[in-house]
């Protein structure tokens, strides 16, 4: 099961259950008791997401159909299955893991939401001592619990075997109103009252999105109730089945992707990484720290993002090219398009790459892969051109071996045969980027043979031979110049592609940072709205001191929002500098030195042309 979970790349809906849980609940969530709504497979978030129901390390793991997994806690007070379960500390850690790993936390209780039910949920009051949001994790203060709301799951309270009427002061109320009334703080300074208020206050503070469902008894017969686990579906009470359907409909349609703050979503592999990080921390005797766990997750996910981006680049390059390409620019254009897509893949799957370490790995790796494709393209061109020249030169070489060119006028015949060879060669399609270089190499190899033919041609006087030899040298020099011009053009094309690559990386990075900033501002403003609402409720309920205590949290949050807005330009500037540095390191010296070298090379060509 762990392998299946860690291998999925889909974003997850993670639902944790705590409290009383039966096989009927498992069947209910899996769709056995009630069918999912038509849109349940896509839910209210991303398409094609599986629903993962998960709890902590002390629970059970069961595979459920349609890509759903149920990891549920054993109910409090049940018989422990080994020496590590059943103690309060283990229960506290299990509860903590359930909260940390889930996007929807389902709490089960019996009969009513009363003092006893809230007492059994005392684990929520321990979370401030069992979770840290910021490093160092060794800190003993609970001040960062103010940030819990930014990454805690939705809270769903299920009341089993509900015995009351949904009424308040003689008026009907909804299930949600029933829950909110139960969570209202009780006035009074008595220690027992204050202890009773703690879970209420923590639930209201840490879980802004709350929902309640009440369930009738699944059967009315006492005989069936005793053997509840063996009761078939068709004997369950109709009202219970309808309540199950409503609950499932809510879970399937309102489920959200698991996030770890700042809009960072988690897939199956990421959830596995988080779970291992948290459990390892707990086993070491330390307190789980969200920031440390997220950095561990970022290290893994960013490394995977680089691999995915590079794999996409290699696959697309291989699919879109036929080697050898007619021109270097043709290959570079494909490279630019594939690199753009690869950068987008990386940006989609990476996060918290603040030092641009992984973006640098991507840039460097794609540069290496591009050079490999360039080399393959050149090798394919050389191989093809050499093979074709070998075929085309066979008649020329046969005439030379037979002595045809050593008769009077043989040099003229040789030049005509060679020119015909060149014309036939130039008409060949798809010779590739090394066509001229291979031809130049071939002609250079013919120089000694031409010289021998010229010297042996008695139709030429000595003076004419000297003129012909000089003409041959000039032609060779001209061909060499054309070849150098071609190389210069290629270097300019490659440099232009590097500049386009830099601009594309910067553009996509800035776009990603814009989205992340908007997501962070949206989350901060949502948390601020929640705290302002909570502060207003405390004032309405007559808890002025608690009202005032929230003021500092609210002021700090407002400062954070202002800082997010004001620091953005400097963050962008720093990111741009980091990416520019990556590209400067890729060049021989720097861009400016490289451009100076190209300028001097052009001037050399001009002087050469003027002198000739």
């Amino acid at each position: 099961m762990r392998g299946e979970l860690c291998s999925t790349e889909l974003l997850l809906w993670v639902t944790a259950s705590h409290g009383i849980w039966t096989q009927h609940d498992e069947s209910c969530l899996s769709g056995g008791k009630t069918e999912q709504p038509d849109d349940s497979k896509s839910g209210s978030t991303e398409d094609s997401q599986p629903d993962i129901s998960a709890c902590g390390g002390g629970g059970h793991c069961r595979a459920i159909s349609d890509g759903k997994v149920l990891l549920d806690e054993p109910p409090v007070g049940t018989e422990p299955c080994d020496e590590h379960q059943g103690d309060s500390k283990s229960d506290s850690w299990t509860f903590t893991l359930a909260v940390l790993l889930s996007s929807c936390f389902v709490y089960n209780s019996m009969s009513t939401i009363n003092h006893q039910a809230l007492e059994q949920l005392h684990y929520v009051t321990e979370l401030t001592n069992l979770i840290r949001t910021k490093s160092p994790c060794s800190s003993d203060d609970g001040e960062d619990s103010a940030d819990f709301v930014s990454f805690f799951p939705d809270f769903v309270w299920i009341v089993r075997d509900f015995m009351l009427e949904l009424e308040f002061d003689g008026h009907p109320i909804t299930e949600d109103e029933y829950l909110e009334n139960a969570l209202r703080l009780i006035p009074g300074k008595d220690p027992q009252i204050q202890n009773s208020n703690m879970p209420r206050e923590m639930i209201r503070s840490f879980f802004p999105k709350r929902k309640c469902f009440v369930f009738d008894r699944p059967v009315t017969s006492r005989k069936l109730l005793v053997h509840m686990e063996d009761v078939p579906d068709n004997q369950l009470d109709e009202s219970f089945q309808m309540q199950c359907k409503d609950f499932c409909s809510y879970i399937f349609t309102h489920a959200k992707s698991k996030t770890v703050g700042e809009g960072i979503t988690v897939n199956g592999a990421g959830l596995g990484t988080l779970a291992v990080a948290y459990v390892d921390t707990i086993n070491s005797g330390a307190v789980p720290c969200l920031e440390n766990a997220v950095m561990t997750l970022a290290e893994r996910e960013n490394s995977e993002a680089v691999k995915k981006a590079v794999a996409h680049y290699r696959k697309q390059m291989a699919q879109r090219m036929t080697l050898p390409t007619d021109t270097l620019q043709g290959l570079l254009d494909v490279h630019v398009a594939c690199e753009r897509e690869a950068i987008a893949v990386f940006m989609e799957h990476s996060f918290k790459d603040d030092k641009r370490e992984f973006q640098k790995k991507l840039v460097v790796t794609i540069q290496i892969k591009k050079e490999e494709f360039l080399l393959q393209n050149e090798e394919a061109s050389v191989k093809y051109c050499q093979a074709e020249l070998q075929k085309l030169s066979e008649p020329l070489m046969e005439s030379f071996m037979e002595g045809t060119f050593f008769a009077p006028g043989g040099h003229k015949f040789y030049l005509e045969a060679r020119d015909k060879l060149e014309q036939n060669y130039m008409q060949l399609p798809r010779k590739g980027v090394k066509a001229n270089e291979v031809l130049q190499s071939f002609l250079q190899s013919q120089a000694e043979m031409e010289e021998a033919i010229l010297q042996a041609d008695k139709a030429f006087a000595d003076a004419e031979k000297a003129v012909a030899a000089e003409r041959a040298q000039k032609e060779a020099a001209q061909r060499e110049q054309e070849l150098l011009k071609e190389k210069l053009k290629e270097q300019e094309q490659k440099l232009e592609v590097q500049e386009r690559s830099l601009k594309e990386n910067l553009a996509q990075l800035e776009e990603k940072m814009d989205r992340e900033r908007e997501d962070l501002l949206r989350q901060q403003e949502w948390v601020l709205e929640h705290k302002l609402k909570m502060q207003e409720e405390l004032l309405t309920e007559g808890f002025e001191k608690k009202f005032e205590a929230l003021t500092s949290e609210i002021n700090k949050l407002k400062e954070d929002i202002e800082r997010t807005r004001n620091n953005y330009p400097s963050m962008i500037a720093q990111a741009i500098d980091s990416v520019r540095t990556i590209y400067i390191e890729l060049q021989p010296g720097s861009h400016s030195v490289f451009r100076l070298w190209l300028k001097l090379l052009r001037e050399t060509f001009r002087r050469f042309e003027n002198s000739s």
Side-chain angles (χ1 to χ4, degrees):
M1 175 57 61
R2 175 181 171 183
E4 292 178 16
L5 178 65
C6 291
S7 64
T8 179
E9 295 295 333
L10 296 174
L11 300 181
L12 302 181
W13 300 335
V14 189
T15 304
S17 70
H18 179 87
I20 299 168
W21 193 251
T22 71
Q23 67 178 26
H24 293 288
D25 303 294
E26 175 192 330
S27 179
C28 182
L29 266 181
S30 67
K33 295 282 178 258
T34 58
E35 294 183 0
Q36 300 177 23
D38 292 339
D39 61 347
S40 64
K41 290 184 179 180
S42 60
S44 58
T45 53
E46 293 81 358
D47 291 340
S48 302
Q49 293 178 321
D51 181 298
I52 304 295
S53 298
C55 192
H60 306 96
C61 175
R62 301 182 180 90
I64 296 180
S65 61
D66 300 326
K68 295 183 291 293
V69 177
L70 176 62
L71 296 163
D72 60 295
E73 293 185 48
V76 177
T78 56
E79 190 71 23
C81 61
D82 60 48
E83 61 181 0
H84 301 295
Q85 295 183 0
D87 60 277
S88 61
K89 192 64 175 177
S90 175
D91 289 342
S92 295
W93 283 126
T94 302
F95 183 90
T96 301
L97 286 170
V99 171
L100 284 171
L101 295 174
S102 66
S103 57
C104 180
F105 182 83
V106 180
Y107 179 67
N108 291 264
S109 69
M110 293 290 289
S111 303
T112 63
I113 301 178
N114 54 18
H115 176 71
Q116 182 182 1
L118 286 164
E119 267 196 340
Q120 289 179 345
L121 197 53
H122 66 89
Y123 304 107
V124 75
T125 66
E126 301 172 9
L127 292 175
T128 55
N129 297 319
L130 299 179
I131 298 175
R132 291 288 178 267
T133 59
K134 303 289 184 183
S135 293
C137 294
S138 57
S139 173
D140 290 328
D141 61 72
E143 292 177 3
D144 60 355
S145 64
D147 297 326
F148 284 0
V149 65
S150 66
F151 63 91
F152 267 27
D154 297 343
F155 184 89
V156 178
W157 193 317
I158 292 179
V159 186
R160 308 290 301 275
D161 297 355
F162 188 64
M163 306 298 293
L164 304 178
E165 293 292 332
L166 285 173
E167 291 183 354
F168 185 75
D169 288 341
H171 300 286
I173 58 174
T174 65
E175 294 162 305
D176 292 343
E177 289 171 335
Y178 172 70
L179 173 61
E180 295 308 310
N181 287 336
L183 294 178
R184 289 173 64 90
L185 302 186
I186 303 170
K189 296 182 180 180
D190 184 273
Q192 285 188 339
I193 292 177
Q194 292 184 358
N195 287 336
S196 178
N197 278 339
M198 281 185 66
R200 292 181 169 90
E201 187 175 357
M202 298 297 184
I203 292 172
R204 290 169 59 174
S205 176
F206 299 157
F207 303 96
K209 189 174 180 181
R210 301 183 291 273
K211 186 73 179 173
C212 181
F213 291 92
V214 298
F215 286 76
D216 295 335
R217 283 192 172 185
V219 293
T220 54
S221 167
R222 284 181 174 273
K223 184 177 180 181
L224 291 176
L225 197 60
V226 173
H227 303 285
M228 193 64 233
E229 301 299 321
D230 300 322
V231 175
D233 295 355
N234 59 9
Q235 292 190 34
L236 293 176
D237 188 82
E238 186 175 345
S239 63
F240 177 81
Q241 293 191 50
M242 288 300 297
Q243 289 161 346
C244 280
K245 183 176 181 180
D246 290 342
F247 167 68
C248 288
S249 177
Y250 175 83
I251 294 296
F252 289 132
T253 57
H254 291 81
K256 64 181 183 181
S257 299
K258 172 62 184 171
T259 63
V260 286
E262 300 183 25
I264 301 170
T265 53
V266 178
N267 58 19
L271 186 66
T273 299
L274 286 176
V276 170
Y278 290 140
V279 171
D280 286 348
T281 301
I282 292 170
N283 288 338
S284 72
V287 173
C289 175
L290 178 71
E291 185 177 38
N292 290 347
V294 169
M295 292 312 298
T296 300
L297 179 63
E299 189 81 14
R300 180 200 177 280
E301 292 299 306
N302 291 342
S303 180
E304 288 298 313
V306 172
K307 292 178 183 178
K308 289 176 184 176
V310 171
H312 179 87
Y313 173 81
R314 293 181 62 183
K315 181 180 179 181
Q316 293 303 312
M317 286 287 287
Q319 288 180 351
R320 299 181 193 184
M321 285 193 315
T322 301
L323 301 182
T325 59
D326 290 331
T327 62
L328 172 65
Q329 191 61 54
L331 185 147
L332 293 177
D333 287 343
V334 175
H335 157 76
V336 168
C338 294
E339 183 185 40
R340 184 187 306 114
E341 294 175 11
I343 295 170
V345 170
F346 173 77
M347 293 298 175
E348 179 185 356
H349 293 93
S350 64
F351 62 92
K352 283 195 171 297
D353 185 24
D354 299 332
K355 296 180 180 179
R356 310 301 155 204
E357 294 176 3
F358 292 94
Q359 190 167 7
K360 179 178 180 179
K361 287 182 181 179
L362 175 67
V363 170
V364 171
T365 305
I366 286 185
Q367 172 76 3
I368 293 171
K369 298 303 175 185
K370 181 192 73 175
E371 294 298 328
E372 289 177 0
F373 278 111
L374 288 173
L375 181 60
Q376 291 173 21
N377 193 42
E378 291 175 356
E379 289 174 346
S381 177
V382 168
K383 183 177 180 181
Y384 175 78
C385 291
Q386 286 178 342
E388 292 301 317
L389 272 176
Q390 179 69 25
K391 295 177 186 176
L392 292 173
S393 65
E394 285 178 1
L396 183 74
M397 298 307 297
E398 286 177 4
S399 297
F400 176 78
M401 297 300 295
E402 292 172 358
T404 304
F405 300 132
F406 291 98
H411 185 258
K412 178 183 176 182
F413 296 144
Y414 168 77
L415 291 179
E416 289 174 353
R418 194 189 67 183
D419 289 344
K420 183 179 179 182
L421 181 152
E422 285 188 50
Q423 290 174 9
N424 291 338
Y425 176 77
M426 297 307 295
Q427 290 175 3
L428 289 173
R430 301 194 61 81
K431 294 185 293 295
V433 295
K434 290 294 184 178
N436 291 336
E437 188 174 329
V438 171
L439 178 61
Q440 173 69 1
S441 178
F442 171 78
L443 294 176
Q444 285 177 350
S445 70
Q446 296 288 304
E448 291 184 6
M449 186 170 72
E450 181 182 357
E451 177 66 19
I453 293 171
L454 178 62
Q455 295 302 323
D457 195 343
K458 296 180 180 180
F460 282 97
D462 291 341
E464 290 174 328
K465 291 180 180 180
V467 171
E470 184 179 354
R471 185 173 60 249
Q473 289 177 357
K474 282 188 175 181
E475 289 175 355
Q478 188 175 3
R479 286 194 298 267
E480 187 68 29
Q481 180 190 2
E482 291 297 324
L483 199 59
L484 286 173
K485 280 185 178 180
E486 187 176 312
K487 289 184 178 297
L488 173 61
K489 183 180 178 181
E490 288 179 355
Q491 291 302 324
E492 289 176 328
Q493 289 173 336
K494 289 179 181 179
L495 181 58
E496 181 184 350
V497 164
Q498 283 292 86
E499 292 177 343
R500 290 172 67 181
S501 177
L502 170 61
K503 290 178 181 177
E504 186 64 38
N505 267 278
L506 290 176
Q508 291 202 34
L509 176 60
E510 188 169 353
E511 183 181 345
K512 177 182 176 66
M513 292 180 71
D514 283 341
R515 289 195 305 269
E516 291 175 344
R517 173 176 173 266
E518 291 302 317
D519 288 343
L520 179 58
L521 280 172
R522 195 179 300 112
Q523 183 189 68
Q524 289 175 328
E525 288 166 356
W526 174 75
V527 173
L528 177 61
E529 181 182 350
H530 163 63
K531 291 188 180 294
L532 288 171
K533 179 184 176 184
M534 188 175 174
Q535 191 182 44
E536 182 181 349
E537 290 173 351
L538 289 171
L539 185 61
T540 303
E541 294 170 13
F543 293 88
E544 294 184 6
K545 288 186 177 180
K546 293 184 181 294
F547 169 88
E548 293 171 359
L550 264 181
T551 302
S552 61
E553 286 187 21
I554 290 172
N555 289 338
K556 180 182 179 300
L557 187 53
K558 288 179 178 178
E559 291 173 2
D560 291 342
I561 292 174
E562 220 33 52
R563 194 178 300 112
T564 300
R565 290 195 176 103
N566 296 336
N567 290 354
Y568 184 66
S570 62
M571 289 175 60
I572 285 289
Q574 185 178 1
I576 289 174
D577 287 343
S578 298
V579 177
R580 285 189 186 279
T581 301
I582 294 171
Y583 279 85
I584 290 173
E585 291 174 355
L586 287 176
Q587 295 301 329
S590 70
H591 274 73
S592 58
V593 172
F594 191 56
R595 283 196 175 281
L596 179 61
W597 176 79
L598 291 176
K599 182 180 179 182
L600 291 172
L601 194 55
R602 290 193 199 97
E603 292 175 353
T604 302
F605 282 135
R606 291 193 191 100
R607 288 196 298 271
F608 181 85
E609 289 170 348
N610 293 335
S611 64
S612 59

